Amino acid sequence: MITALGLFAAFLTTGALVPQVVKTMRTKSTGDLSLGMYLMMFTGTLCWLLYGFLNKDIPIISANIVASVFSSIILYFKVVGMKKKMN
Amino acid sequence: MITALGLFAAFLTTGALVPQVVKTMRTKSTGDLSLGMYLMMFTGTLCWLLYGFLNKDIPIISANIVASVFSSIILYFKVVGMKKKMN
């Protein structure tokens, strides 16, 4: 029961990136998104990934493969948007 | 060493909300932020919090008190911004 709650919590906090990815890919508008947030988020998920590999912790590894892909997509659109603004 | 990596990862992924909170409080512009993301994020941190309390897990509790406050601030500004747009 408690494990199910933890898995549900992990599903929500990791899956939270999905609606943002969908919105950002559709609008390609990233002015209100914080570059610092997605830099930290992406670096953080890579650290979690390494932590998961070192501990051979499958839930941590799988959640953070997903989260690092999603946050890198948002980061990519944010950087592209900032470059466009500069030109 | 591995624990330090985990703590650093937790610091990054939880702290990632800080630059977004600062940016959103300053600009009050939330058009590019996904409502779904912050609804899921806020609900998810509340579930983590309950999970932490049930397991008496202090790191999980403290990280998610912080994360739930940050995500509720962003959610507040997003909802206020959407209401303004409707009026």
mmCIF file of all heavy atoms in Angstrom, chain B residues 36-83:
data_model
loop_
_atom_site.group_PDB
_atom_site.id
_atom_site.type_symbol
_atom_site.label_atom_id
_atom_site.label_comp_id
_atom_site.label_asym_id
_atom_site.label_seq_id
_atom_site.Cartn_x
_atom_site.Cartn_y
_atom_site.Cartn_z
ATOM 1 N N GLY B 36 -1.064 21.616 -16.483
ATOM 2 C CA GLY B 36 -1.024 20.187 -16.170
ATOM 3 C C GLY B 36 0.248 19.801 -15.437
ATOM 4 O O GLY B 36 0.212 19.029 -14.475
ATOM 5 N N MET B 37 1.379 20.367 -15.874
ATOM 6 C CA MET B 37 2.647 20.042 -15.228
ATOM 7 C C MET B 37 2.621 20.406 -13.752
ATOM 8 O O MET B 37 2.980 19.591 -12.903
ATOM 9 C CB MET B 37 3.811 20.777 -15.900
ATOM 10 C CG MET B 37 5.081 20.716 -15.065
ATOM 11 S SD MET B 37 6.578 21.093 -15.962
ATOM 12 C CE MET B 37 7.770 21.038 -14.606
ATOM 13 N N TYR B 38 2.151 21.616 -13.432
ATOM 14 C CA TYR B 38 2.230 22.052 -12.032
ATOM 15 C C TYR B 38 1.126 21.446 -11.175
ATOM 16 O O TYR B 38 1.307 21.282 -9.968
ATOM 17 C CB TYR B 38 2.335 23.582 -11.947
ATOM 18 C CG TYR B 38 3.717 23.982 -12.434
ATOM 19 C CD1 TYR B 38 3.925 24.419 -13.733
ATOM 20 C CD2 TYR B 38 4.831 23.805 -11.620
ATOM 21 C CE1 TYR B 38 5.205 24.693 -14.205
ATOM 22 C CE2 TYR B 38 6.108 24.076 -12.067
ATOM 23 C CZ TYR B 38 6.282 24.516 -13.361
ATOM 24 O OH TYR B 38 7.559 24.771 -13.813
ATOM 25 N N LEU B 39 -0.004 21.077 -11.804
ATOM 26 C CA LEU B 39 -1.025 20.311 -11.075
ATOM 27 C C LEU B 39 -0.469 18.946 -10.675
ATOM 28 O O LEU B 39 -0.601 18.513 -9.529
ATOM 29 C CB LEU B 39 -2.277 20.124 -11.943
ATOM 30 C CG LEU B 39 -3.271 21.284 -11.981
ATOM 31 C CD1 LEU B 39 -4.402 20.966 -12.956
ATOM 32 C CD2 LEU B 39 -3.847 21.570 -10.586
ATOM 33 N N MET B 40 0.176 18.276 -11.642
ATOM 34 C CA MET B 40 0.742 16.952 -11.373
ATOM 35 C C MET B 40 1.899 17.047 -10.379
ATOM 36 O O MET B 40 2.033 16.223 -9.471
ATOM 37 C CB MET B 40 1.241 16.302 -12.678
ATOM 38 C CG MET B 40 0.133 15.762 -13.545
ATOM 39 S SD MET B 40 0.758 15.078 -15.111
ATOM 40 C CE MET B 40 1.393 13.482 -14.570
ATOM 41 N N MET B 41 2.745 18.058 -10.578
ATOM 42 C CA MET B 41 3.908 18.237 -9.704
ATOM 43 C C MET B 41 3.457 18.471 -8.256
ATOM 44 O O MET B 41 3.975 17.847 -7.325
ATOM 45 C CB MET B 41 4.706 19.448 -10.214
ATOM 46 C CG MET B 41 6.007 19.687 -9.505
ATOM 47 S SD MET B 41 7.249 18.461 -9.933
ATOM 48 C CE MET B 41 7.987 19.243 -11.375
ATOM 49 N N PHE B 42 2.474 19.366 -8.067
ATOM 50 C CA PHE B 42 1.993 19.696 -6.715
ATOM 51 C C PHE B 42 1.337 18.465 -6.064
ATOM 52 O O PHE B 42 1.649 18.108 -4.920
ATOM 53 C CB PHE B 42 1.016 20.878 -6.783
ATOM 54 C CG PHE B 42 0.484 21.289 -5.442
ATOM 55 C CD1 PHE B 42 1.342 21.713 -4.432
ATOM 56 C CD2 PHE B 42 -0.882 21.247 -5.173
ATOM 57 C CE1 PHE B 42 0.860 22.084 -3.179
ATOM 58 C CE2 PHE B 42 -1.367 21.625 -3.934
ATOM 59 C CZ PHE B 42 -0.503 22.036 -2.938
ATOM 60 N N THR B 43 0.450 17.794 -6.815
ATOM 61 C CA THR B 43 -0.191 16.580 -6.285
ATOM 62 C C THR B 43 0.863 15.524 -5.963
ATOM 63 O O THR B 43 0.799 14.848 -4.926
ATOM 64 C CB THR B 43 -1.185 16.003 -7.319
ATOM 65 O OG1 THR B 43 -1.954 17.072 -7.863
ATOM 66 C CG2 THR B 43 -2.128 15.007 -6.675
ATOM 67 N N GLY B 44 1.842 15.381 -6.862
ATOM 68 C CA GLY B 44 2.911 14.398 -6.667
ATOM 69 C C GLY B 44 3.726 14.660 -5.406
ATOM 70 O O GLY B 44 4.027 13.724 -4.649
ATOM 71 N N THR B 45 4.069 15.934 -5.163
ATOM 72 C CA THR B 45 4.867 16.240 -3.960
ATOM 73 C C THR B 45 4.040 15.983 -2.697
ATOM 74 O O THR B 45 4.592 15.551 -1.686
ATOM 75 C CB THR B 45 5.394 17.686 -3.961
ATOM 76 O OG1 THR B 45 4.307 18.588 -4.150
ATOM 77 C CG2 THR B 45 6.417 17.902 -5.063
ATOM 78 N N LEU B 46 2.718 16.211 -2.756
ATOM 79 C CA LEU B 46 1.867 15.898 -1.597
ATOM 80 C C LEU B 46 1.850 14.388 -1.343
ATOM 81 O O LEU B 46 1.880 13.942 -0.190
ATOM 82 C CB LEU B 46 0.438 16.429 -1.801
ATOM 83 C CG LEU B 46 0.275 17.953 -1.823
ATOM 84 C CD1 LEU B 46 -1.209 18.328 -1.888
ATOM 85 C CD2 LEU B 46 0.924 18.614 -0.606
ATOM 86 N N CYS B 47 1.803 13.592 -2.430
ATOM 87 C CA CYS B 47 1.849 12.129 -2.279
ATOM 88 C C CYS B 47 3.193 11.679 -1.698
ATOM 89 O O CYS B 47 3.236 10.818 -0.813
ATOM 90 C CB CYS B 47 1.617 11.437 -3.625
ATOM 91 S SG CYS B 47 -0.057 11.602 -4.231
ATOM 92 N N TRP B 48 4.301 12.278 -2.187
ATOM 93 C CA TRP B 48 5.631 11.979 -1.638
ATOM 94 C C TRP B 48 5.685 12.315 -0.152
ATOM 95 O O TRP B 48 6.309 11.611 0.640
ATOM 96 C CB TRP B 48 6.717 12.790 -2.350
ATOM 97 C CG TRP B 48 7.251 12.194 -3.613
ATOM 98 C CD1 TRP B 48 7.304 12.798 -4.849
ATOM 99 C CD2 TRP B 48 7.841 10.897 -3.795
ATOM 100 N NE1 TRP B 48 7.878 11.948 -5.759
ATOM 101 C CE2 TRP B 48 8.223 10.779 -5.148
ATOM 102 C CE3 TRP B 48 8.075 9.818 -2.936
ATOM 103 C CZ2 TRP B 48 8.825 9.633 -5.664
ATOM 104 C CZ3 TRP B 48 8.677 8.683 -3.457
ATOM 105 C CH2 TRP B 48 9.041 8.597 -4.799
ATOM 106 N N LEU B 49 5.044 13.427 0.209
ATOM 107 C CA LEU B 49 5.038 13.895 1.592
ATOM 108 C C LEU B 49 4.343 12.870 2.488
ATOM 109 O O LEU B 49 4.871 12.473 3.543
ATOM 110 C CB LEU B 49 4.296 15.238 1.632
ATOM 111 C CG LEU B 49 4.678 16.233 2.706
ATOM 112 C CD1 LEU B 49 6.170 16.489 2.724
ATOM 113 C CD2 LEU B 49 3.942 17.556 2.472
ATOM 114 N N LEU B 50 3.169 12.408 2.041
ATOM 115 C CA LEU B 50 2.421 11.387 2.781
ATOM 116 C C LEU B 50 3.243 10.101 2.870
ATOM 117 O O LEU B 50 3.351 9.478 3.946
ATOM 118 C CB LEU B 50 1.085 11.131 2.064
ATOM 119 C CG LEU B 50 0.119 10.137 2.712
ATOM 120 C CD1 LEU B 50 -0.255 10.570 4.118
ATOM 121 C CD2 LEU B 50 -1.151 9.989 1.856
ATOM 122 N N TYR B 51 3.866 9.735 1.739
ATOM 123 C CA TYR B 51 4.737 8.550 1.677
ATOM 124 C C TYR B 51 5.888 8.692 2.679
ATOM 125 O O TYR B 51 6.203 7.743 3.410
ATOM 126 C CB TYR B 51 5.277 8.430 0.249
ATOM 127 C CG TYR B 51 6.265 7.312 0.020
ATOM 128 C CD1 TYR B 51 5.838 6.011 -0.192
ATOM 129 C CD2 TYR B 51 7.636 7.570 -0.029
ATOM 130 C CE1 TYR B 51 6.747 4.985 -0.441
ATOM 131 C CE2 TYR B 51 8.556 6.552 -0.269
ATOM 132 C CZ TYR B 51 8.102 5.266 -0.467
ATOM 133 O OH TYR B 51 8.999 4.253 -0.698
ATOM 134 N N GLY B 52 6.474 9.891 2.724
ATOM 135 C CA GLY B 52 7.579 10.146 3.662
ATOM 136 C C GLY B 52 7.128 10.037 5.115
ATOM 137 O O GLY B 52 7.817 9.456 5.948
ATOM 138 N N PHE B 53 5.952 10.596 5.413
ATOM 139 C CA PHE B 53 5.420 10.536 6.791
ATOM 140 C C PHE B 53 5.149 9.083 7.190
ATOM 141 O O PHE B 53 5.486 8.662 8.298
ATOM 142 C CB PHE B 53 4.134 11.364 6.919
ATOM 143 C CG PHE B 53 4.404 12.817 7.195
ATOM 144 C CD1 PHE B 53 4.006 13.800 6.290
ATOM 145 C CD2 PHE B 53 5.063 13.223 8.357
ATOM 146 C CE1 PHE B 53 4.264 15.142 6.525
ATOM 147 C CE2 PHE B 53 5.325 14.567 8.612
ATOM 148 C CZ PHE B 53 4.926 15.532 7.689
ATOM 149 N N LEU B 54 4.524 8.314 6.285
ATOM 150 C CA LEU B 54 4.199 6.915 6.587
ATOM 151 C C LEU B 54 5.462 6.085 6.806
ATOM 152 O O LEU B 54 5.484 5.164 7.617
ATOM 153 C CB LEU B 54 3.360 6.305 5.449
ATOM 154 C CG LEU B 54 1.943 6.880 5.309
ATOM 155 C CD1 LEU B 54 1.257 6.351 4.051
ATOM 156 C CD2 LEU B 54 1.096 6.568 6.538
ATOM 157 N N ASN B 55 6.554 6.448 6.078
ATOM 158 C CA ASN B 55 7.815 5.717 6.227
ATOM 159 C C ASN B 55 8.763 6.360 7.238
ATOM 160 O O ASN B 55 9.885 5.880 7.415
ATOM 161 C CB ASN B 55 8.533 5.640 4.868
ATOM 162 C CG ASN B 55 8.000 4.524 4.005
ATOM 163 O OD1 ASN B 55 7.451 3.545 4.505
ATOM 164 N ND2 ASN B 55 8.153 4.658 2.697
ATOM 165 N N LYS B 56 8.314 7.483 7.851
ATOM 166 C CA LYS B 56 9.178 8.270 8.748
ATOM 167 C C LYS B 56 10.536 8.533 8.108
ATOM 168 O O LYS B 56 11.593 8.357 8.719
ATOM 169 C CB LYS B 56 9.345 7.551 10.099
ATOM 170 C CG LYS B 56 8.024 7.396 10.863
ATOM 171 C CD LYS B 56 8.240 6.780 12.233
ATOM 172 C CE LYS B 56 6.924 6.584 12.971
ATOM 173 N NZ LYS B 56 5.990 5.651 12.235
ATOM 174 N N ASP B 57 10.506 8.964 6.825
ATOM 175 C CA ASP B 57 11.720 9.200 6.040
ATOM 176 C C ASP B 57 11.970 10.720 5.957
ATOM 177 O O ASP B 57 11.351 11.421 5.160
ATOM 178 C CB ASP B 57 11.517 8.581 4.644
ATOM 179 C CG ASP B 57 12.771 8.662 3.783
ATOM 180 O OD1 ASP B 57 13.504 9.660 3.870
ATOM 181 O OD2 ASP B 57 12.998 7.704 3.018
ATOM 182 N N ILE B 58 12.893 11.196 6.813
ATOM 183 C CA ILE B 58 13.133 12.644 6.938
ATOM 184 C C ILE B 58 13.584 13.302 5.616
ATOM 185 O O ILE B 58 13.045 14.362 5.261
ATOM 186 C CB ILE B 58 14.152 12.939 8.073
ATOM 187 C CG1 ILE B 58 13.654 12.372 9.418
ATOM 188 C CG2 ILE B 58 14.414 14.450 8.213
ATOM 189 C CD1 ILE B 58 12.425 13.045 9.972
ATOM 190 N N PRO B 59 14.555 12.707 4.852
ATOM 191 C CA PRO B 59 14.943 13.362 3.594
ATOM 192 C C PRO B 59 13.773 13.526 2.624
ATOM 193 O O PRO B 59 13.608 14.590 2.021
ATOM 194 C CB PRO B 59 16.004 12.412 3.005
ATOM 195 C CG PRO B 59 16.549 11.690 4.190
ATOM 196 C CD PRO B 59 15.410 11.548 5.155
ATOM 197 N N ILE B 60 12.948 12.484 2.496
ATOM 198 C CA ILE B 60 11.786 12.567 1.594
ATOM 199 C C ILE B 60 10.824 13.640 2.084
ATOM 200 O O ILE B 60 10.328 14.458 1.297
ATOM 201 C CB ILE B 60 11.033 11.201 1.527
ATOM 202 C CG1 ILE B 60 11.928 10.118 0.933
ATOM 203 C CG2 ILE B 60 9.725 11.333 0.768
ATOM 204 C CD1 ILE B 60 11.839 9.933 -0.546
ATOM 205 N N ILE B 61 10.564 13.683 3.402
ATOM 206 C CA ILE B 61 9.649 14.681 3.965
ATOM 207 C C ILE B 61 10.168 16.090 3.706
ATOM 208 O O ILE B 61 9.453 16.941 3.162
ATOM 209 C CB ILE B 61 9.446 14.464 5.488
ATOM 210 C CG1 ILE B 61 8.711 13.139 5.751
ATOM 211 C CG2 ILE B 61 8.668 15.633 6.105
ATOM 212 C CD1 ILE B 61 8.670 12.735 7.216
ATOM 213 N N SER B 62 11.445 16.350 4.047
ATOM 214 C CA SER B 62 11.956 17.721 3.936
ATOM 215 C C SER B 62 12.020 18.176 2.479
ATOM 216 O O SER B 62 11.590 19.297 2.162
ATOM 217 C CB SER B 62 13.314 17.869 4.629
ATOM 218 O OG SER B 62 14.018 16.664 4.663
ATOM 219 N N ALA B 63 12.528 17.298 1.586
ATOM 220 C CA ALA B 63 12.609 17.690 0.169
ATOM 221 C C ALA B 63 11.233 18.029 -0.383
ATOM 222 O O ALA B 63 11.072 18.986 -1.142
ATOM 223 C CB ALA B 63 13.238 16.564 -0.652
ATOM 224 N N ASN B 64 10.201 17.272 0.057
ATOM 225 C CA ASN B 64 8.887 17.479 -0.552
ATOM 226 C C ASN B 64 8.052 18.562 0.125
ATOM 227 O O ASN B 64 7.113 19.069 -0.478
ATOM 228 C CB ASN B 64 8.144 16.147 -0.664
ATOM 229 C CG ASN B 64 8.718 15.331 -1.804
ATOM 230 O OD1 ASN B 64 8.439 15.623 -2.954
ATOM 231 N ND2 ASN B 64 9.570 14.363 -1.481
ATOM 232 N N ILE B 65 8.419 18.952 1.361
ATOM 233 C CA ILE B 65 7.823 20.168 1.930
ATOM 234 C C ILE B 65 8.263 21.350 1.070
ATOM 235 O O ILE B 65 7.441 22.149 0.604
ATOM 236 C CB ILE B 65 8.241 20.373 3.405
ATOM 237 C CG1 ILE B 65 7.506 19.368 4.302
ATOM 238 C CG2 ILE B 65 7.932 21.810 3.855
ATOM 239 C CD1 ILE B 65 7.906 19.429 5.759
ATOM 240 N N VAL B 66 9.572 21.414 0.809
ATOM 241 C CA VAL B 66 10.134 22.486 -0.011
ATOM 242 C C VAL B 66 9.519 22.478 -1.408
ATOM 243 O O VAL B 66 9.011 23.500 -1.894
ATOM 244 C CB VAL B 66 11.674 22.326 -0.093
ATOM 245 C CG1 VAL B 66 12.282 23.358 -1.036
ATOM 246 C CG2 VAL B 66 12.302 22.444 1.294
ATOM 247 N N ALA B 67 9.523 21.302 -2.055
ATOM 248 C CA ALA B 67 9.032 21.206 -3.435
ATOM 249 C C ALA B 67 7.538 21.513 -3.542
ATOM 250 O O ALA B 67 7.099 22.114 -4.524
ATOM 251 C CB ALA B 67 9.320 19.817 -4.000
ATOM 252 N N SER B 68 6.755 21.141 -2.514
ATOM 253 C CA SER B 68 5.314 21.415 -2.606
ATOM 254 C C SER B 68 5.039 22.908 -2.450
ATOM 255 O O SER B 68 4.146 23.443 -3.105
ATOM 256 C CB SER B 68 4.525 20.598 -1.579
ATOM 257 O OG SER B 68 4.880 20.968 -0.270
ATOM 258 N N VAL B 69 5.832 23.587 -1.608
ATOM 259 C CA VAL B 69 5.666 25.039 -1.469
ATOM 260 C C VAL B 69 6.011 25.729 -2.797
ATOM 261 O O VAL B 69 5.237 26.539 -3.317
ATOM 262 C CB VAL B 69 6.552 25.599 -0.319
ATOM 263 C CG1 VAL B 69 6.564 27.124 -0.343
ATOM 264 C CG2 VAL B 69 6.049 25.097 1.029
ATOM 265 N N PHE B 70 7.167 25.366 -3.379
ATOM 266 C CA PHE B 70 7.585 25.988 -4.644
ATOM 267 C C PHE B 70 6.567 25.732 -5.748
ATOM 268 O O PHE B 70 6.185 26.650 -6.475
ATOM 269 C CB PHE B 70 8.959 25.456 -5.076
ATOM 270 C CG PHE B 70 10.092 25.939 -4.222
ATOM 271 C CD1 PHE B 70 11.269 25.204 -4.124
ATOM 272 C CD2 PHE B 70 10.002 27.128 -3.509
ATOM 273 C CE1 PHE B 70 12.330 25.637 -3.345
ATOM 274 C CE2 PHE B 70 11.054 27.565 -2.712
ATOM 275 C CZ PHE B 70 12.219 26.822 -2.636
ATOM 276 N N SER B 71 6.128 24.475 -5.888
ATOM 277 C CA SER B 71 5.218 24.190 -7.001
ATOM 278 C C SER B 71 3.850 24.825 -6.778
ATOM 279 O O SER B 71 3.187 25.218 -7.737
ATOM 280 C CB SER B 71 5.109 22.691 -7.282
ATOM 281 O OG SER B 71 4.827 21.980 -6.111
ATOM 282 N N SER B 72 3.454 25.003 -5.496
ATOM 283 C CA SER B 72 2.163 25.672 -5.258
ATOM 284 C C SER B 72 2.257 27.163 -5.611
ATOM 285 O O SER B 72 1.278 27.746 -6.071
ATOM 286 C CB SER B 72 1.702 25.479 -3.809
ATOM 287 O OG SER B 72 2.512 26.217 -2.928
ATOM 288 N N ILE B 73 3.429 27.778 -5.416
ATOM 289 C CA ILE B 73 3.604 29.195 -5.786
ATOM 290 C C ILE B 73 3.460 29.354 -7.304
ATOM 291 O O ILE B 73 2.723 30.225 -7.788
ATOM 292 C CB ILE B 73 4.982 29.728 -5.328
ATOM 293 C CG1 ILE B 73 5.072 29.761 -3.791
ATOM 294 C CG2 ILE B 73 5.243 31.132 -5.900
ATOM 295 C CD1 ILE B 73 6.456 30.095 -3.243
ATOM 296 N N ILE B 74 4.145 28.481 -8.064
ATOM 297 C CA ILE B 74 4.062 28.555 -9.530
ATOM 298 C C ILE B 74 2.623 28.290 -9.986
ATOM 299 O O ILE B 74 2.089 28.996 -10.841
ATOM 300 C CB ILE B 74 5.036 27.552 -10.185
ATOM 301 C CG1 ILE B 74 6.480 27.861 -9.751
ATOM 302 C CG2 ILE B 74 4.931 27.613 -11.705
ATOM 303 C CD1 ILE B 74 7.502 26.827 -10.194
ATOM 304 N N LEU B 75 1.983 27.284 -9.369
ATOM 305 C CA LEU B 75 0.598 26.942 -9.701
ATOM 306 C C LEU B 75 -0.327 28.135 -9.436
ATOM 307 O O LEU B 75 -1.196 28.450 -10.254
ATOM 308 C CB LEU B 75 0.166 25.735 -8.853
ATOM 309 C CG LEU B 75 -1.133 25.026 -9.213
ATOM 310 C CD1 LEU B 75 -1.115 24.546 -10.653
ATOM 311 C CD2 LEU B 75 -1.362 23.827 -8.286
ATOM 312 N N TYR B 76 -0.117 28.824 -8.317
ATOM 313 C CA TYR B 76 -0.921 30.007 -7.969
ATOM 314 C C TYR B 76 -0.821 31.071 -9.068
ATOM 315 O O TYR B 76 -1.833 31.580 -9.556
ATOM 316 C CB TYR B 76 -0.454 30.562 -6.618
ATOM 317 C CG TYR B 76 -1.017 31.924 -6.308
ATOM 318 C CD1 TYR B 76 -2.324 32.075 -5.837
ATOM 319 C CD2 TYR B 76 -0.259 33.069 -6.518
ATOM 320 C CE1 TYR B 76 -2.844 33.331 -5.574
ATOM 321 C CE2 TYR B 76 -0.767 34.332 -6.252
ATOM 322 C CZ TYR B 76 -2.067 34.464 -5.781
ATOM 323 O OH TYR B 76 -2.576 35.699 -5.539
ATOM 324 N N PHE B 77 0.420 31.391 -9.474
ATOM 325 C CA PHE B 77 0.604 32.421 -10.496
ATOM 326 C C PHE B 77 0.020 31.980 -11.843
ATOM 327 O O PHE B 77 -0.516 32.800 -12.591
ATOM 328 C CB PHE B 77 2.091 32.772 -10.649
ATOM 329 C CG PHE B 77 2.566 33.737 -9.597
ATOM 330 C CD1 PHE B 77 3.280 33.291 -8.495
ATOM 331 C CD2 PHE B 77 2.293 35.093 -9.701
ATOM 332 C CE1 PHE B 77 3.711 34.169 -7.510
ATOM 333 C CE2 PHE B 77 2.712 35.985 -8.724
ATOM 334 C CZ PHE B 77 3.426 35.515 -7.621
ATOM 335 N N LYS B 78 0.121 30.676 -12.145
ATOM 336 C CA LYS B 78 -0.448 30.162 -13.398
ATOM 337 C C LYS B 78 -1.968 30.332 -13.395
ATOM 338 O O LYS B 78 -2.542 30.798 -14.386
ATOM 339 C CB LYS B 78 -0.073 28.674 -13.559
ATOM 340 C CG LYS B 78 -0.658 27.988 -14.768
ATOM 341 C CD LYS B 78 -0.107 28.536 -16.068
ATOM 342 C CE LYS B 78 -0.838 28.014 -17.290
ATOM 343 N NZ LYS B 78 -0.369 28.647 -18.540
ATOM 344 N N VAL B 79 -2.622 29.977 -12.282
ATOM 345 C CA VAL B 79 -4.084 30.067 -12.204
ATOM 346 C C VAL B 79 -4.531 31.535 -12.244
ATOM 347 O O VAL B 79 -5.479 31.889 -12.961
ATOM 348 C CB VAL B 79 -4.613 29.344 -10.938
ATOM 349 C CG1 VAL B 79 -6.094 29.600 -10.750
ATOM 350 C CG2 VAL B 79 -4.349 27.846 -11.041
ATOM 351 N N VAL B 80 -3.831 32.406 -11.509
ATOM 352 C CA VAL B 80 -4.140 33.844 -11.535
ATOM 353 C C VAL B 80 -4.003 34.377 -12.972
ATOM 354 O O VAL B 80 -4.866 35.108 -13.464
ATOM 355 C CB VAL B 80 -3.210 34.629 -10.570
ATOM 356 C CG1 VAL B 80 -3.318 36.130 -10.815
ATOM 357 C CG2 VAL B 80 -3.547 34.302 -9.126
ATOM 358 N N GLY B 81 -2.922 33.964 -13.661
ATOM 359 C CA GLY B 81 -2.687 34.404 -15.044
ATOM 360 C C GLY B 81 -3.792 33.938 -15.985
ATOM 361 O O GLY B 81 -4.216 34.679 -16.873
ATOM 362 N N MET B 82 -4.283 32.701 -15.782
ATOM 363 C CA MET B 82 -5.345 32.177 -16.635
ATOM 364 C C MET B 82 -6.663 32.891 -16.382
ATOM 365 O O MET B 82 -7.430 33.150 -17.305
ATOM 366 C CB MET B 82 -5.515 30.672 -16.380
ATOM 367 C CG MET B 82 -4.392 29.839 -16.966
ATOM 368 S SD MET B 82 -4.480 28.131 -16.410
ATOM 369 C CE MET B 82 -5.941 27.582 -17.277
ATOM 370 N N LYS B 83 -6.915 33.242 -15.113
ATOM 371 C CA LYS B 83 -8.156 33.968 -14.769
ATOM 372 C C LYS B 83 -8.161 35.350 -15.410
ATOM 373 O O LYS B 83 -9.167 35.807 -15.944
ATOM 374 C CB LYS B 83 -8.258 34.108 -13.242
ATOM 375 C CG LYS B 83 -8.923 32.917 -12.587
ATOM 376 C CD LYS B 83 -9.370 33.263 -11.183
ATOM 377 C CE LYS B 83 -10.205 32.152 -10.570
ATOM 378 N NZ LYS B 83 -10.453 32.380 -9.139
#
